[in-house]
Amino acid sequence: MLKQFILSKHHIRVVTLSILCVTGSAFAETASVGPARLLLTTQNWPPYQEYKNGTMQGIALDRVKCALSKMGQPYQITMTKWSEAQLKVHSGNQHGFFVATQTKERDEYATLSLPIAEQKLEWYFAPGIEPNVTELSKINLKFSAKFGSNKWFWLKRHGFNVVKQPRNAKVLLKLLKDRDIDVALEDELVFNEALKQASLPLDYFKHKVLKTENMGVYFSKRFLEKYPGFLKSFNAAILKCEG
C-alpha cells in the first residue's frame, strides 16, 4: 500500500490523499466494478473530514476509506472548496464528492449512496434573541449560514432575510457572537467544533433543532453508467463499516 500526501499553495488549498491497493486478489475483485483509481473530492469540514496533523481524518472520511478498503478499490481523495468539489463532479473531472445531503440539483447529475453520516441542523441564536423562528422573525431578523452551502441556499429559497457570506463555521460563529447576524443555521457537530476552537462552552448560544438529515457520497451518473455495479458494491461495503 502506498500513501501520498500533496499540499499545494494556490488561492485554493488542495490536499490530496492517494491509496493504491496492490494486493492481487483485492484488485482483481474491484476491477469488474470500479476504475483503476477512484477520484473523490471533498471539503475541509471538521469533524466530518479535515486535514489535521499531516493527515486527512474525520467521521465521514474514515467511513468512506473503510468502505473502499473492503472493496479493494484504489482511490484518490482531493480536499478543496465545496463549490469546486461539486463542480468537478458535475463537469466529469471527478467521480464523486462527499459528504452531502440529497438535493434536486445534485440529483440531476449524480446519485447519492447509502448514508455515511447523519447531520443535525440547528438554529443558533445571538445573545438577547428569542430562541424561536417565526414567519415574522424570518423577515425581521438577520440570518446566515456557510456561503455556498445547501443551508445558505435553503434560507434564500424559503424567504429568510439572509445576510453576509461566511466562508466557514468559524466566521459564522464570530458573526453571531458579534451580533452582526441574529440567527445562524449550521450542523451541530460542525458548530460544536467551532465553539471548542473559540474556547467557548457548547451552551454559549441558545439553539433549536430544525431537522435531521442523512448524508452520503454523490457519484456522477456518467461514472455509474460506465461502472454499473459500483454503487451496489459501495453501499454493501458501507453497511459493513457501521459503528
Side-chain angles (χ1 to χ4, degrees), residues 28-184:
E29 179 182 350
T30 192
S32 61
V33 296
R37 182 182 297 187
L38 179 70
L39 303 178
L40 296 179
T41 184
T42 186
Q43 63 173 326
N44 188 65
W45 198 41
Y48 294 105
Q49 59 269 338
E50 62 181 315
Y51 187 72
K52 186 177 181 181
N53 299 325
T55 63
M56 281 190 188
Q57 54 189 276
I59 300 168
L61 180 66
D62 290 346
R63 201 145 180 230
V64 170
K65 287 161 58 177
C66 173
L68 296 176
S69 176
K70 289 186 180 298
M71 292 172 67
Q73 172 65 59
Y75 61 86
Q76 175 177 297
I77 298 175
T78 300
M79 188 173 286
T80 185
K81 292 176 66 174
W82 189 226
S83 57
E84 184 76 8
Q86 295 171 81
L87 182 60
K88 285 182 177 294
V89 175
H90 188 276
S91 63
N93 292 324
Q94 296 279 316
H95 299 137
F97 64 86
F98 70 92
V99 53
T101 55
Q102 187 169 22
T103 68
K104 291 181 179 179
E105 293 80 8
R106 293 165 180 164
D107 285 344
E108 291 180 1
Y109 62 92
T111 301
L112 189 63
S113 73
L114 287 181
I116 61 174
E118 186 178 74
Q119 176 185 67
K120 182 188 290 186
L121 286 179
E122 298 249 7
W123 297 113
Y124 291 90
F125 303 90
I129 297 297
E130 182 69 24
N132 194 23
V133 177
T134 65
E135 286 300 315
L136 184 61
S137 67
K138 68 189 289 187
I139 300 173
N140 293 335
L141 296 181
K142 294 175 291 184
F143 291 79
S144 197
K146 179 184 175 183
F147 180 65
S149 68
N150 187 43
K151 297 178 289 296
W152 196 88
F153 288 112
W154 182 88
L155 288 171
K156 295 285 286 185
R157 285 196 303 269
H158 287 80
F160 287 85
N161 177 30
V162 181
V163 300
K164 306 296 183 179
Q165 298 181 355
R167 65 183 183 273
N168 53 43
K170 179 181 178 180
V171 176
L172 184 66
L173 185 152
K174 188 176 187 305
L175 290 172
L176 194 64
K177 187 172 182 289
D178 293 346
R179 289 298 303 271
D180 290 322
I181 61 174
D182 299 308
V183 187

Side-chain angles (χ1 to χ4, degrees), residues 64 97-100 102 110-117 214-219 224 230-231 234-235 238:
V64 170
F97 64 86
F98 70 92
V99 53
Q102 187 169 22
T111 301
L112 189 63
S113 73
L114 287 181
I116 61 174
N214 288 324
M215 299 187 293
V217 181
Y218 257 113
F219 291 102
L224 295 179
F230 182 87
L231 186 57
F234 180 81
N235 284 339
I238 281 292

Side-chain angles (χ1 to χ4, degrees), residues 16-34:
T16 302
L17 166 63
S18 298
I19 303 292
L20 302 180
C21 301
V22 294
T23 53
S25 59
F27 186 80
E29 179 182 350
T30 192
S32 61
V33 296

Side-chain angles (χ1 to χ4, degrees), residues 199-220:
S199 299
L200 295 173
L202 298 183
D203 60 355
Y204 184 85
F205 299 103
K206 292 181 179 179
H207 53 95
K208 186 176 183 180
V209 177
L210 171 63
K211 59 180 175 179
T212 300
E213 299 178 304
N214 288 324
M215 299 187 293
V217 181
Y218 257 113
F219 291 102
S220 161

